[in-house]
Amino acid sequence: MFKNYFKIALRNLWKSKGYAFINVVGLSVAFCVSVFLFLTAYFSLSFDNFHADSDRIYQPYLFANDPEGVGRTASMPFPITPALRADYPEIESIARVINGSDVIEYKGKFFDKNIKFTEPDFFKIFSFPFLQGNPKTAFQNLSNIVITESMAKAVFGSEDPMGKSVNLGLEGNKKQYVVTGVLADFPQNSSLQFDVFLRSENVGGYQQQKDQWDAFSHNVYLKLKPGIDKLTFEKKLRPFTAKYFAETLTKLKKKGGKPDERGDLYALRLQKLADVHFDREISGGKGASLVYALMGIGLFILLIACINFINLNVARSFIRAREVGVRKSLGALKQQLFFQIWGEAGVVCFLGFLTGIVLSILLLPAFNATFNAKLSLEYIFEPDKLALLVGLFLFVTLVAGGYPALQMSKFNAVEVLKGKVSLKRPGLLRNSLIIAQFALSSLLICCTIIAMQQVDHLRKQPLGFQKEEVISIPVGNKVDGQTALRRLRNLLADDPNIVSITGSGVNLGMGRDRSSSRSVIGFTFKDREVNTDWLHISYDYLKTLNIKLIDGREFNPAYPTDSMGRVIITESMAKAIGEKDPVGKFFQTDTAGIKHQIIGVVPDFNLYSSKAERKPITMYLSHAGGISYIFVRVTPQSLANSMEKLQNAWKEITPESEFIGTFLDENTNAWYKEEERLSQIFSLASAVAVILSCLGLFAIALIVMEQRTKEIGVRKVLGASIASLVFVLSKDFVKLVLIAILISTPAAWYLMQLWLDNYPYRVEISPWIFVAVGGIAVLVAVVTVSFQSIKAALMNPVKSLRSE
């Protein structure tokens, strides 16, 4: 019986090759795109869930209900970890995690690597497997070092790394460490990515800060014991906060701060490990909006393909009505007809699914490159991903094939053979589905245009400095930054194409080293709580970045005391300290520290992002401070060969360090990467959605024209013109598209308003966008339908009326 069903299904599909082709193409494209989008979203949502007991792992953060705005920070002081360990037996394990980087030397070879400073409990919290060594003993001594598998291969090659000694640091600051453990390389969906582990006691400044409760410098992770409720434990932390952060609580009360709905003015809270990857404020994450957008778009595209399938099958049910009637009169049962028709849908779905998987494999490299994704063929064919794909296939087959099959199996044989179809109001279903298709398509087009406008707005947003004609050079760890800066200045002092050279501890944008660091200092000034970015710069920083002074002066070698407590601040910093004329004023970041004198004020500028509000910045000069990046402004006419010239100069002054310079405007473009990805995804989804919708509309129009052949013939005989016929045949479809636009417009406006509210610098949504999208949608529908309308209108009426 099943063999017979299969044969009939193939014959029917071969007989209707055009419709079968449209369905297979639509489903295959939808499957391919949806597989990419769903798996990309699944990958993002899977971050850090590979750890055993991940539901008991948390990152503590400090919450402040400040009258000027709610604040959250995961930056912690050094004493908090031992204090929490001693005061709360509910904590199973707790460890500091401090980011760093340094150069590692072994047998005369140097390696620039990322370092995590942490503690033995780290390996009890996280499930990073040891390939060699014992996690219980790997960190017994301060001179122990644990490295990753890739690091071991890079440094030691085929040698056994266990027990080997390596040096960290530059000459004059070298320390020797012994390898006591090798970790397996971290999964791609791990928020923690690094090469080397050292004990936290080895981090610079540890001895000075280990007892300071007002020096916030690192993150902390902890694992609660089984059965401990998060909210209950957070309530138990209130006395701890009141004891160790009493001064902060007092200051917030003086400012008029009030407890929030949970009764907290200043509190230590816990964030689930699963949320760390997406948190923008605490962890610098990218947010989950892109992930949910991916899932929504994948669902939309799949839904449009299903609508096409349903519409075509329901529309073709009128053509196949007599076949169903004959089979029923010969004794076919409802369930037999259902499985026969559903079987045909299953064959089409299978062909579409198979073609979609082949397309996914062929287009995978292009997708990864375009959207910076990390999918692989092995990833797609993992058991759980295969189960997802099979589930997707069964869902589409059930929805898109099951409904038309169920309706056709209900046809009344007698009525059908008399030429009447008993399907109730089939036009309502068809029209509703067409409206849904074009509503989704219009929604995606609107979102695409608004997202592109926002990206363009961010690009044109003044950054507060001139990014053009400036080259950023990461110094790395193999050379002292101050030394490299001094040598480069001396070497290029007489070059007329070099305008100025400066250095800084922080890059602008994201360079090729993919690294970023931030130092924020909080202190009290005249009963005001002040938080400022603490930026180390060198001479000519303002000149190189073309930042104009509002008041005062820039750092100058003619003033030797500039490196002894002199600072330049931004306008936001001046407002934060409440000084209208701040030049010459003094402030202290701690009561025991030096007094800093303000010598200059500059306009606000974007230091870390173009999307967030500009924060107060304090710039200081230090001959001992680390210079991590060198900025070189070149003349416009020397842009073509300036990079090559600097590369040669870099080889001369520091041959041991790789040159990875980039233009500053390239670096700042990385600030818009997420928005660009979102607009690209919207663009792709819009194009696919419109093509699928038009494909379905084209096929529906073809069937409708077939059903209205005699009507067209009668109208032509009665003198109707081709233009009037096209209008009559197209107006119903245009009405549906207009209704779709009316539905999609408020939805698009609401969703994009929510998205744009995340940006302090944002575009305003223009109503003309929706007018333009509506016009495009109507035009596309008219062109699609008119092709069939004109063809039907040109038909000889004698042929259509011959049987009458």
Side-chain angles (χ1 to χ4, degrees), residues 108-215:
K109 293 187 294 183
F110 296 87
F111 305 88
D112 205 352
K113 295 297 179 181
N114 292 324
I115 298 173
K116 291 285 185 191
F117 296 91
T118 187
E119 290 146 344
D121 268 11
F122 181 90
F123 303 113
K124 298 177 184 177
I125 298 172
F126 298 103
S127 305
F128 294 122
F130 272 73
L131 299 179
Q132 292 180 271
N134 187 337
K136 295 180 180 179
T137 59
F139 260 8
Q140 282 184 333
N141 300 316
L142 296 182
S143 60
N144 293 156
I145 182 173
V146 176
I147 61 177
T148 62
E149 182 181 6
S150 296
M151 173 74 178
K153 290 178 181 177
V155 175
F156 300 101
S158 59
E159 293 182 51
D160 183 0
M162 294 296 291
K164 297 288 194 306
S165 295
V166 295
N167 294 317
L168 264 74
L170 300 172
E171 290 297 336
N173 193 33
K174 279 188 179 181
K175 290 183 180 180
Q176 192 174 75
Y177 296 90
V178 178
V179 178
T180 54
V182 178
L183 289 173
D185 287 335
F186 307 112
Q188 291 182 335
N189 58 343
S190 172
S191 297
L192 297 169
Q193 296 282 345
F194 36 88
D195 304 303
V196 177
F197 281 115
L198 293 175
R199 286 280 293 265
S200 58
E201 292 89 343
N202 292 305
V203 74
Y206 175 79
Q207 293 301 323
Q208 293 79 16
Q209 297 185 23
K210 66 179 183 178
D211 297 319
Q212 290 185 5
W213 282 89
D214 59 350

Side-chain angles (χ1 to χ4, degrees), residues 482-494:
Q482 296 278 8
T483 303
L485 177 61
R486 185 174 61 254
R487 290 176 180 174
L488 194 64
R489 277 175 170 156
N490 293 336
L491 184 63
L492 301 176
D494 299 325

Side-chain angles (χ1 to χ4, degrees), residues 599-637:
I599 63 169
V601 181
V602 298
D604 292 331
F605 62 95
N606 295 89
L607 184 59
Y608 293 101
S609 171
S610 64
K611 294 173 282 190
E613 285 188 84
R614 294 170 179 175
K615 302 293 184 181
I617 300 172
T618 301
M619 292 167 275
Y620 71 98
L621 180 75
S622 171
H623 299 308
I627 294 292
S628 301
Y629 298 91
I630 295 175
F631 301 126
V632 182
R633 174 168 291 281
V634 298
T635 56
Q637 58 270 22

